[in-house]
Amino acid sequence: RPRFGSSYFRIMGAHQTGGGICNVFVTGACRGFGRRVASELARTDGVRVCMSARSEEAGLLYRQQLIHDYGLHHDKVTFTPLDVRDKARIGDTGIFLRAQGGVQGLVCAASLCTRGQVVTTDLITDIVETNFWGYADVVDAFCDDTLVTPNGSLATVGRIVVVGDGQARLGLLSSRLQRHLSDPGLTVDGIKAMVRDYEHNACRDPHQLSAMGYAECPYLMSKIFVHRLVHAYAALPRQRQRVFSAVFPTEVDEASTAVRLALGTLGSTTSSGSMWENGVETDL
């Protein structure tokens, strides 16, 4: 994974906010679904959005665009460069956000979709590092250090939303893997071990993964692991004050479900580990 070190860390447009403001942090905020989520959050009263993305140039340009297009105050939208594959940078970002009072909502929208591309070991590694480990490392760094806290005016508990995919279903797997991933006793560490096995098998022969029972599409395989990780995080005793959920983007619902989940205006404040599509809780 890339390593920049703490000296690289900085955040653009940051300003300490007092009570009454709900801070929401969005990864992958400059492209696709994350971009739409950041835009809707920026236009929501009482919310400050901190955007992050791999490209510093793109992030700064998008921040200025939002401020200009919607007549926002400069501290309504902030930006920090973050590659979710870089654990050191994730830690630096967490330290800074904690100094700013923490965040009440977290939307993990950084995602790599490569359906249709020729499957190679490097491609699978990039997908898993971004989609699975990027989510897991952000949650581990932010939530275990009590960064996502229940002190926002719009959020009664810390809410963590990840972008999933409604097509990433257990039915794509062999019966053995389905049983394993469906086990209610499967832990966070257990899922991470399964992902490491998947990566190991991909390094050996990426073209044999389907024969081993994995989903043929690496992107969908990564999202299946992410969905199961949402349930596992929700089951942790230390995460009882937080609500974990996954949202499935659609053409009908571009961002509102994710925004409402992050702000606590959709879903229960006690039920965690849910999946959502078009504003409705769903099952996989």
Side-chain angles (χ1 to χ4, degrees):
R1 301 183 187 188
R3 288 290 181 267
F4 298 104
S6 59
S7 61
Y8 181 80
F9 176 74
R10 55 192 172 129
I11 191 166
M12 292 72 173
H15 177 73
Q16 182 82 29
T17 58
I21 296 294
C22 180
N23 297 317
V24 182
F25 185 77
V26 183
T27 68
C30 293
R31 297 179 62 183
F33 186 73
R35 184 182 181 92
R36 296 191 292 273
V37 168
S39 174
E40 186 162 332
L41 285 167
R43 290 174 283 141
T44 302
D45 291 339
V47 175
R48 184 178 74 164
V49 56
C50 179
M51 307 187 303
S52 70
R54 293 186 189 184
S55 171
E56 180 174 330
E57 179 181 6
L60 291 174
L61 285 174
Y62 188 43
R63 174 177 178 262
Q64 290 302 320
Q65 178 185 331
L66 288 174
I67 291 173
H68 177 268
D69 289 353
Y70 300 114
L72 305 175
H73 192 272
H74 69 88
D75 66 357
K76 173 74 168 175
V77 183
T78 64
F79 173 78
T80 182
L82 175 63
D83 186 336
V84 296
R85 300 171 301 173
D86 179 9
K87 290 186 72 171
R89 288 281 294 111
I90 290 172
D92 290 341
T93 304
I95 291 171
F96 184 90
L97 291 176
R98 192 178 306 110
Q100 298 298 308
V103 295
Q104 290 71 56
L106 172 62
V107 180
C108 297
S111 186
L112 183 61
C113 181
T114 55
R115 280 182 281 195
Q117 294 191 25
V118 176
V119 176
T120 65
T121 297
D122 289 342
L123 177 66
I124 293 174
T125 298
D126 203 18
I127 291 171
V128 175
E129 288 284 306
T130 302
N131 297 356
F132 180 84
W133 292 112
Y135 169 61
D137 290 343
V138 166
V139 169
D140 290 345
F142 284 21
C143 294
D144 284 356
D145 289 340
T146 64
L147 178 66
V148 182
T149 55
N151 64 348
S153 61
L154 297 181
T156 57
V157 295
R159 289 179 166 266
I160 300 90
V161 184
V162 65
V163 177
D165 193 302
Q167 296 184 39
R169 297 178 177 273
L170 291 178
L172 298 174
L173 311 180
S174 68
S175 57
R176 178 185 64 85
L177 287 176
Q178 287 185 46
R179 288 194 301 271
H180 197 169
L181 281 168
S182 299
D183 182 355
L186 185 60
T187 65
V188 170
D189 288 340
I191 297 169
K192 290 179 178 179
M194 290 186 69
V195 173
R196 293 188 186 98
D197 286 342
Y198 175 70
E199 291 178 297
H200 175 72
N201 289 325
C203 289
R204 292 172 57 190
D205 189 347
H207 302 292
Q208 292 299 314
L209 291 173
S210 180
M212 297 177 189
Y214 297 108
E216 184 175 355
C217 174
Y219 162 76
L220 291 178
M221 191 68 240
S222 72
K223 291 300 183 180
I224 290 172
F225 284 132
V226 166
H227 297 165
R228 190 61 188 84
L229 190 61
V230 169
H231 291 296
Y233 275 130
L236 290 174
R238 68 175 181 272
Q239 302 293 3
R240 287 175 180 166
Q241 295 303 310
R242 300 186 176 96
V243 174
F244 291 83
S245 58
V247 61
F248 306 149
T250 67
E251 294 181 0
V252 175
D253 177 18
E254 291 193 334
S256 63
T257 296
V259 168
R260 292 168 64 194
L261 287 169
L263 298 180
T265 59
L266 177 66
S268 169
T269 59
T270 57
S271 177
S272 189
S274 54
M275 309 282 138
W276 294 80
E277 185 174 39
N278 292 332
V280 178
E281 188 171 354
T282 185
D283 293 319
L284 282 176

